[in-house]
Structures are given as structure tokens and as C-alpha cells.
Amino acid sequence: MTVDPEDRMIVAGSRMLRNHRVVFAGVGAPLIASVLAQQLHAPDLTIVLEGGYIGPKMLPGKLPISTNEMRGARRSVMLTGIVDTFLFAQRGRFDYGIVGAAQIDRYGNVNTTLIGDPAHPKVRLPGSGGANDIVSSCREVFVMTRHEPRRFVERVDFVTSPGWLDGGDSRERAGLTKSRPAAVITDLAVLDYEPESKRMRLAALQPGVSTEEVVQATGFELVLPREVRELAPPRADELSALRRLREGPTVDAPKPDAMVGGTVPGSASGTDADSMEEVARS
Amino acid sequence: MGEITRSEPPPPADARRPIADDAPPVDKRTTLAEAAGLVRDGDVVAIGGCLYSRTPWAMLLELLRAGKRELTLARSLMCYEAELFLVREASTKLVTSWVGIGLPWGIPKVFRRYVEGGRAAYEEWSHLSLGLRFQAAAMGVPFLPTTSLLGSDLLSLAGAKEMDCPFTGRRVAVVPELTPDVALVHVHRADPFGNAQVDGATYMDREIAAAARRVVVTAEEIVDPSVIVGQSDRTLIPHFIVDAVVEVPFGSYPHECYGLYEASFEHFDEYAALVEAKGEEGVREYLRTYLDEPGSFEGFLDRVGATTLLRQQRRARELSVR
């Protein structure tokens, strides 16, 4: 059985989320991964959406397209404001934060702001949304994105959401002490960071993917351990639950540029997922 | 980029209308057209709701109709109202954390062209740091510290600063207060004096209203004050900060209002298809169809049609089923 690359990325993401934790998720792949985890192995995972929805249990086929719409409110334990929601994060109450990326570099710095020179951008992307706040505050930060050389660049044009900055202890020196870029989850692999240098490191391969494929899809030199494990393939129950989640207006009504090549939002606000697709065309 | 949108603190007399010692409560009910008069050219206008939820859409259309100029729009996440205001030359600057409709509709092309071509300024903050700018103004303090923005390029692009905590030496980013000249908020219900209640998430409405010099509330329903008193825990905005109250059923449409009607994705499709096909001219065509020809918000709702509005109400009810 062939598994859609996007699906194996989402399944890998969902498996990282443990029960009884709190996850701050953007719409698109991060939210789908979170709801999938909730439906399978983490029924008491508390999902938080930026708009002020805490602890919703969303219905398959009725996932919100924005972090603010009423679809996201179903069976929430608390409906509040945006500032209050983010302040829970800033206080250190959220275990996981998941964002997407238009560009990501060897230290896990993420760009969703602009391509080119900041003073005269070649391409203006939609912006941070809550992504900067999420990576600055959530204890473990995951980035979910398609694995392509144009996304995995030597150095991002602009640091919207800091990863390990320049590596080593630079993140800590910048004052970011309560959160930790933990992993990058892609359709080809799971990557983490070498503990000292903080350079991105291949941690596990998606089933059937070779180290060489990952190296080819990465625009910078990855740290390659001597042995790399392979992730367990998506199970039938994971795939069928995922199919049910994808029903509904998020996917059943293709819009211009809809979901092309990946539902990963560039920011937590549900973003420029495919801005890179459009950028490539424009 | 880089210029911080920062209003000087208002002289006390301008901050609020003077209140006489023994003034009776003021009935602030008015029309959209009258309320638009509270917005002056060049104002910083904070927009309530978030993205396509509880947007004060009727009031925004009224500002376009009134031909406002040089507005700075400030909003947590901005939907395609940004493009309507840019193309109508009503706004020259956006202060936000994100612009777009949402994933399925692609990135906002007209917004991009305006910003890339230097025809509009985009001051980008993170979601929280923008909220804290309103919150600082709402608290009456010049800035607030945060641990967002640290280490990022957003910090200097936006115009935030860093400092060491005077007590602990801990590094923090600091963001300047942002006092909107006017805050526009759409709510579920308000009484004639401006006590305003919302159901569902509150977004940044409390912060922008508490921060602003003037506040315009549009409400799905104007209710008797006894209704407010009977469930006062729902009140988000008290009467003494409100300057105008306008009853506008479906006042957020085509955006959603929690529990009452769902956003019209079909309407967004129509807008996105116009922009995709015709760029800026598509936006103008949209404005002709949904702003100019209808002539009023009621005319806009007529054009949308009762069948569609009823369907959006039904969808909201279905979504509200627990």
C-alpha cells in the first residue's frame, strides 16, 4: 500500500504527542496531527487554538480552517481571548507547539515573513501569526513541513521564529530559556538537533526512504549518525482515522491553490502553506 | 517598515467626552453612517474579531462607502478587508501579525503586490506582541515586556526593543503601547448605552476597546438593559468606553458570528476567484458588486439573499450541537 507523503508526515507528527499533555497547534497539518493523536493514543491531549479555544474535541470532517472559527470551539473546556491564550504559553503551561515553515535552516530557524532583502522583499509572505510566540514559549517545539531543498536552506532570509539561532548556546543567550526546538517532522524523515552544536541531525527515516534521498532534499549539510532507524509505517487505523479527519470543507472543496503539495501552514495561524508553491510560480 | 505606529496619549478632554456630575446614561444608538463619522482620515483603526470571525464587516464597508483616507488598520489577523481598503485607497498601512483568508484560498496576492511595490506599509508583529501593545495602552502604561520576539529578526523589523529586567537582569523584549483612535467591535448583543456582550471566544476585542480613544459597537441585537444585567458575566465592554451603538443583524457577514451564522466559504471562493483571474481589478469588481451597487449593508444582505443567510444560520446551529 502506498501512503501519501503528507499523510505519513502527519502520522509521524501525531505519534510525537503524548496523552495528558497540552499542545498549541496551528491549523493544517499540525492540527490534523493533534486531533489524530487525540482520537487514537492520546484521548486526553489538550489542544489549544490561538483564537482562544482550550481543550476542544473536534469532529472528523469538521476541522476548522482558521484557528478562530466556531468549528474549533466544539466541546472546549474554555473559550477565552487571544492574549490570555498566548499568556498561558508564555507562562510555560504548554508542552508542545507545532508550526509550519516556508523556509527552515540548519539550526531550525523558521521564516514565514519574506523572501529576499528585508528592506526590499522580493516576496512578502503573510507573516508570523502566532508562530513566533509559539516557538518562543512552548516547551517542545516541532516544525512540520514538506522536505524540499528550497525550504531546507543554508540560512533563512529572515528569522520569523527562532530555532537554535546560530547554534551552540546562542538561543539561551538571546533570552529564550523555557522552550526547546525539539524536532522537524517531514514526509521523508524526523530530524532533531545535535546536542552541542545544535545542528540539525537525521533522527529517523520515513518507511522506505533512504538517507541519500533526505540528503538530496536538504539544502544544507545534515549531521548523519552512523545508524538511522526507520519509523514504523502508518497503521491501518491511523490512516482510516486520518481519512475521516480530512473530510469536510477543509479538503472537499478545492480552492485556488488549495492544499497543493502540503497542508503545512507557515505560521500557526494557518498560513502560507503553499506560498512557496506560489512563489515558485510567480 | 520600521516606523512604529504610535499614537501620542490623548489630552484628557479628547480621550472621552466630558461627563457632567449628574449626567443621565446616554443612549448611544445611531446609524452606520453616523458612526462612521467617529473615524477621521488618518486614524489608527483597530478592528475587532479575528480573521473571518466576528469581524465588524458592516462597519468596515461603511468606512469604505464614506471614502475614508490614509487609515492605518490594526488587527491581530487580517482577512481580505485589508485588500479592500488598500485597493479603495482607504488605507496605506497595516499593523498585524498575518494577512490572508486561510490555507485553502492561497496567499493574498493583492496585499503582496501593494507591500512589495511599496504602495502600502506592513508593520508585522507576532500575534501576542501586537496584543500586548493594545494591552499596554489598555493598562495606561507605555510598554510591556514579553519573551516573544527574542532572538528573531521580527524584533527589529517591527520596532520592538530589548532590555534587561531591572529586578532580575533577565532579558526581555519590550513592545510600545498602541492606542487606536477608534476600535470597531461587532458583538452579539448590546444595550442602548453600549454595554456589550459576546458569546464564544473574545479574540482581542477587550484589549482594543479598552485601549482606544473611541469605540464603535455594532451588535446583532440591541437589548433591554435588563438582559445585560441578567447575565452580566457575558459583558466584555462596559458602557463608559463606548461612543456609538448600531444594531446590525448579520453585521459580520460574510464572516462568522459564533453560534449565529457560519462564514461563507462560497463567498470567499468568489472573492478569491476574482482576484485570481483579475488581480486588483477583481477587487474593484467585488467592491462594485458588494459595496457600491447595493448602496447599503441591507442592500448587501439582499444581494446575498435570504436563502443563503438562512443556510449559514443552519450551519452554525449544526456546528453548535455539542
Side-chain angles (χ1 to χ4, degrees), chain B residues 109-131:
Chain B
K109 294 185 181 58
V110 171
F111 150 79
R112 264 190 56 189
R113 298 284 174 251
Y114 269 75
V115 175
E116 288 163 15
R119 283 188 285 168
Y122 175 18
E123 194 181 293
E124 178 182 338
W125 294 81
S126 71
H127 212 156
L128 174 62
S129 58
L130 179 57

Side-chain angles (χ1 to χ4, degrees), chain A residues 5-17 23 25-34 36 97-102 104 110 112 141-147 151-152 183-187 189-191 193 206 242 246 262-267 273:
Chain A
E6 180 83 8
D7 286 358
R8 62 189 185 200
M9 176 179 82
I10 290 172
V11 168
S14 78
R15 289 175 183 171
M16 313 282 277
L17 308 175
V23 58
V27 290
L31 179 64
I32 299 173
S34 302
L36 184 62
I98 319 179
V99 299
I104 185 166
V110 167
T112 54
V141 176
F142 301 125
V143 178
M144 290 177 78
T145 186
R146 289 296 287 266
H147 210 133
R151 286 184 196 268
F152 283 72
V184 182
I185 302 151
T186 79
D187 49 323
V190 172
L191 310 130
Y193 299 91
Q206 289 281 11
L242 182 51
R246 282 175 173 289
T263 54
V264 187
S267 90

Side-chain angles (χ1 to χ4, degrees), chain A residues 153-215:
Chain A
V153 296
E154 186 74 40
R155 186 72 195 171
V156 290
D157 293 356
F158 187 92
V159 179
T160 309
S161 304
W164 290 107
L165 292 174
D166 300 314
D169 63 352
S170 57
R171 183 179 167 94
E172 205 179 322
R173 278 189 283 114
L176 293 165
T177 52
K178 61 195 155 195
S179 56
R180 184 176 71 88
V184 182
I185 302 151
T186 79
D187 49 323
L188 299 184
V190 172
L191 310 130
D192 62 3
Y193 299 91
E194 207 268 324
E196 288 301 311
S197 70
K198 302 294 194 283
R199 282 174 57 200
M200 201 182 290
R201 174 174 74 177
L202 180 56
L205 293 162
Q206 289 281 11
V209 173
S210 71
T211 300
E212 187 52 29
E213 278 176 79
V214 175
V215 167

Side-chain angles (χ1 to χ4, degrees), chain B residues 174-190:
Chain B
V174 290
V175 300
E177 61 89 27
L178 175 55
T179 301
D181 293 299
V182 187
L184 312 176
V185 179
H186 185 71
V187 303
H188 288 75
R189 70 197 72 83

Side-chain angles (χ1 to χ4, degrees), chain B residues 52-100:
Chain B
Y52 55 73
S53 298
R54 225 157 33 66
T55 307
W57 196 261
M59 198 61 229
L60 290 174
L61 292 187
E62 196 63 34
L63 295 184
L64 292 174
R65 200 168 275 126
K68 301 295 174 186
R69 284 285 182 276
E70 306 276 320
L71 302 178
T72 292
L73 302 182
R75 193 180 195 203
S76 53
L77 304 178
M78 221 171 252
C79 197
Y80 71 97
E81 69 276 2
E83 297 189 329
L84 303 186
F85 274 71
L86 293 177
V87 170
R88 254 306 153 99
E89 295 176 18
S91 173
T92 46
K93 183 168 182 178
L94 311 174
V95 181
T96 181
S97 72
W98 191 83
V99 183

Side-chain angles (χ1 to χ4, degrees), chain A residues 86-156:
Chain A
F86 278 102
L87 291 181
F88 282 128
Q90 184 169 279
R91 175 65 179 81
R93 302 297 190 188
F94 296 166
D95 300 292
Y96 309 119
I98 319 179
V99 299
Q103 280 186 330
I104 185 166
D105 67 21
R106 68 167 69 222
Y107 295 115
N109 301 305
V110 167
N111 174 20
T112 54
T113 294
L114 53 84
I115 306 289
D117 172 12
H120 303 282
K122 180 167 159 279
V123 180
R124 198 54 172 87
L125 299 171
S128 160
N132 172 280
D133 308 303
I134 289 177
V135 306
S136 302
S137 285
C138 296
R139 235 171 284 172
E140 286 187 70
V141 176
F142 301 125
V143 178
M144 290 177 78
T145 186
R146 289 296 287 266
H147 210 133
E148 304 166 319
R150 61 179 178 179
R151 286 184 196 268
F152 283 72
V153 296
E154 186 74 40
R155 186 72 195 171
V156 290

